[in-house]
Amino acid sequence: MITPTGKGPSPITEGPQCQAEVDPLAVLRSPDDPPWDVYLTGTVFLDIIFTGLDSAPVRGTESWARGMGSSPGGVANMATALARLGLRTSLAAAFGDDHYGEYCWDALEQGEHIDLATSRTVPGWHSPVTVSMAYEGERTMVSHGHEPPFEAVHDQAGSHDRTPRARAAIAALTPGRSAAWIAEAAAHGTRIFADVGWDDTGAWDLAGLPDLEHCEAFLPNAEEAMRYTGAACPRAAAHALTEHVPLAVVTLGAEGAYAVDRRTGETAEVPAIAVEALDPTGAGDVFVAGFVTGTLAGWPLADRLAFAGLTAALSVQEFGGSLSAPGWSEIGAWWRKVQSVRGQDPAALRRYAFLQRLVPEREARPWPLRRAVPTIGFRSA
């Protein structure tokens, strides 16, 4: 296993954003390409994150956190991670017309250069909010929000006739529900990558995920995969899922991830990188973003898993789900650093050797990534 060596360059908390230093799809681009690499739709939350808690809050007491940050959350986690990895990203979402909504819109459009042409600000609708409390390597979340008015989001966020052309789209499947835009996008050649949330109905029936038939890849966690397939272990569940989708990727928590590609017969398993987590919020979203990046770039399956795991490991060392996502400067700094540490497992280093051709040859000026801060902004002097 690779010995962790920190987070890379010291981040700049605020400042103007620049484009990613690496375009992982550069050799594949042509004038006939879709305008966007990835399209997403979903709900943007304002995340308020407390870290440095010694234990879970206890009823009737007051707990003080040693750290706090605010950042866009929800679908913004994955959109930001994709943009920071150099993919041209388009997001359709509803934004509140309050200060929270303004902050999230600015952070995504101006800070991360995410296309929001199919997003809308909804008058009189307040932004959904999540409070996340991180302790003992896990987190507990409390959320509040209301569905935006139907007429305010109909024909825009997530509506298939407004879906832009893209190489890929990431969909969050909901048990018992179908989204028309998924079939429409797939019919036009967009590669659909899907994850799924917990099935509150308790049915755990793959027939209840009708849009799975349009997907190229399905990325559940181990518990979800076993419940949906009835398999006794996550690896068997991954193989069972390939009866329904060409590519199954099952995340195994601290053990890493396992994947099966039905079309090639290829399987891969990569262990996780052991790190001390400050805040695990959004790590799963960053993992998906890393895997999608490697897939669109045409990397081998094992490289895609390793890259996804690395980006997730770097993300948990910062506050917040979206603004914790790493950029190429951090990935490059990590790769250069681990090679210089004595006693590293040669086999583990070889697992990440594919990074050598991707990261800048020498450390460039640190990329001014925005980071989560205690407030959503300070008044100008």
Side-chain angles (χ1 to χ4, degrees):
M1 176 175 290
I2 285 183
T3 302
T5 59
K7 298 174 287 188
S10 299
I12 296 175
T13 301
E14 293 284 355
Q17 187 73 324
C18 63
Q19 296 287 358
E21 297 169 288
V22 173
D23 180 358
L25 307 186
V27 299
L28 302 175
R29 297 198 185 282
S30 73
D32 298 327
D33 285 343
W36 305 108
D37 296 325
V38 186
Y39 168 77
L40 308 91
T41 184
T43 302
V44 173
F45 288 75
L46 174 74
D47 281 357
I48 301 171
I49 308 101
F50 293 101
T51 66
L53 291 164
D54 295 321
S55 63
V58 178
R59 183 175 60 182
T61 68
E62 180 179 17
S63 299
W64 279 82
R66 290 186 290 275
M68 174 185 169
S70 301
S71 66
V75 72
N77 296 343
M78 204 174 295
T80 300
L82 291 161
R84 289 184 173 187
L85 292 176
L87 298 188
R88 300 168 184 174
T89 304
S90 180
L91 170 65
F95 289 78
D97 67 346
D98 50 17
H99 289 306
Y100 292 170
E102 292 174 2
Y103 162 74
C104 290
W105 185 292
D106 175 75
L108 298 175
E109 184 181 56
Q110 302 301 319
E112 307 298 335
H113 299 286
I114 295 168
D115 170 62
L116 299 180
T118 54
S119 292
R120 296 290 182 272
T121 296
V122 182
W125 181 66
H126 75 75
S127 300
V129 175
T130 292
V131 175
S132 177
M133 293 162 281
Y135 55 89
E136 299 175 355
E138 264 299 342
R139 81 271 195 233
T140 297
M141 296 183 289
V142 178
S143 298
H144 174 72
H146 302 281
E147 290 289 331
F150 177 80
E151 63 275 11
V153 295
H154 184 59
D155 193 40
Q156 56 96 14
S159 181
H160 66 275
D161 56 346
R162 299 274 301 190
T163 303
R165 290 177 56 241
R167 296 174 189 263
I170 301 176
L173 304 184
T174 302
R177 292 175 58 184
S178 181
W181 72 266
I182 295 176
E184 184 76 11
H188 286 88
T190 298
R191 302 164 72 179
I192 310 296
F193 296 76
D195 62 8
V196 68
W198 190 258
D199 187 352
D200 291 327
T201 70
W204 298 103
D205 183 4
L206 286 169
L209 301 177
D211 290 326
L212 194 60
E213 67 173 309
H214 306 299
C215 297
E216 170 169 325
F218 186 42
L219 299 95
N221 63 34
E223 183 68 20
E224 293 160 349
M226 290 189 292
R227 285 178 178 266
Y228 271 117
T229 62
C233 76
R235 293 160 187 81
H239 285 273
L241 286 171
T242 59
E243 297 178 10
H244 305 271
V245 66
L247 177 58
V249 181
V250 177
T251 54
L252 308 174
E255 295 182 38
Y258 182 81
V260 183
D261 190 328
R262 182 186 70 205
R263 292 164 300 191
T264 65
E266 188 179 8
T267 64
E269 182 167 0
V270 175
I273 297 174
V275 294
E276 183 177 347
L278 172 67
D279 175 21
T281 304
D285 296 324
V286 176
F287 179 94
V288 173
F291 188 83
V292 170
T293 299
T295 301
L296 294 183
W299 301 348
L301 186 57
D303 290 354
R304 288 180 260 165
L305 282 187
F307 185 73
L310 170 60
T311 55
L314 292 175
S315 77
V316 302
Q317 297 178 79
E318 296 287 351
F319 282 110
S322 61
L323 302 186
S324 68
W328 283 102
S329 286
E330 292 170 302
I331 294 167
W334 177 86
W335 173 235
R336 286 185 290 270
K337 184 68 174 177
V338 296
Q339 294 178 86
S340 68
V341 176
R342 289 187 176 184
Q344 294 283 20
D345 180 358
L349 285 175
R350 286 195 297 272
R351 173 62 274 149
Y352 294 90
F354 68 93
L355 292 173
Q356 191 66 47
R357 70 179 186 272
L358 294 168
V359 300
E361 292 184 4
R362 57 184 180 277
E363 190 165 320
R365 176 179 62 87
W367 189 27
L369 297 175
R370 286 191 178 189
R371 293 301 188 196
V373 293
T375 79
I376 61 172
F378 294 95
R379 293 183 182 276
S380 302

